[in-house]
């Protein structure tokens, strides 16, 4: 029997569905180099797919923009208008 994830009443699509996006997020800390400097976080997002592409980001804002862009592209590809749609 296949496991099915349900979130807020909606069935999560199978990982082979084109609207399904999966990523592995790695975060690491770069310590300050001198007195008075802050720690810095770095991020790597690896696609969980056959290509398994990796994307690196020097800050959280770049990571968020990338993910938002990818999800918007999925919506545009499936609905064609860039608007989010709720299931009926």
């Amino acid at each position: 029997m296949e496991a099915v994830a349900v979130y807020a009443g909606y069935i999560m699509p199978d990982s082979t569905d084109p609207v399904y996006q999966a990523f592995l997020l790695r975060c690491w800390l770069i310590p300050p180099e001198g007195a008075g400097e802050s720690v810095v976080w770095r991020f790597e997002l690896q696609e969980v797919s056959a290509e398994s592409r990796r994307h690196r980001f020097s800050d959280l804002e770049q990571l968020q923009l990338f993910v938002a862009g990818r999800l918007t592209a999925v919506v545009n590809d499936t609905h064609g208008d860039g608007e989010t749609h709720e299931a009926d």
Side-chain angles (χ1 to χ4, degrees), residues 1-55:
M1 179 176 200
E2 183 178 333
V4 176
V6 177
Y7 178 73
Y10 298 102
I11 296 175
M12 189 170 112
D14 183 272
S15 63
T16 59
D17 190 313
V19 299
Y20 181 89
Q21 299 289 300
F23 301 96
L24 172 64
L25 175 63
R26 292 182 175 92
C27 311
W28 64 95
L29 185 71
I30 298 176
E33 292 183 11
E37 291 188 13
S38 299
V39 297
V40 176
W41 282 98
R42 296 290 188 245
F43 306 93
E44 180 181 84
L45 201 62
Q46 181 177 350
E47 296 179 37
V48 181
S49 64
E51 292 102 29
S52 191
R53 290 179 286 204
R54 294 178 183 207
H55 309 275

Side-chain angles (χ1 to χ4, degrees), residues 75 79 81-86:
V75 171
H79 296 288
D81 59 7
E83 299 293 322
T84 55
H85 298 268
E86 291 191 25

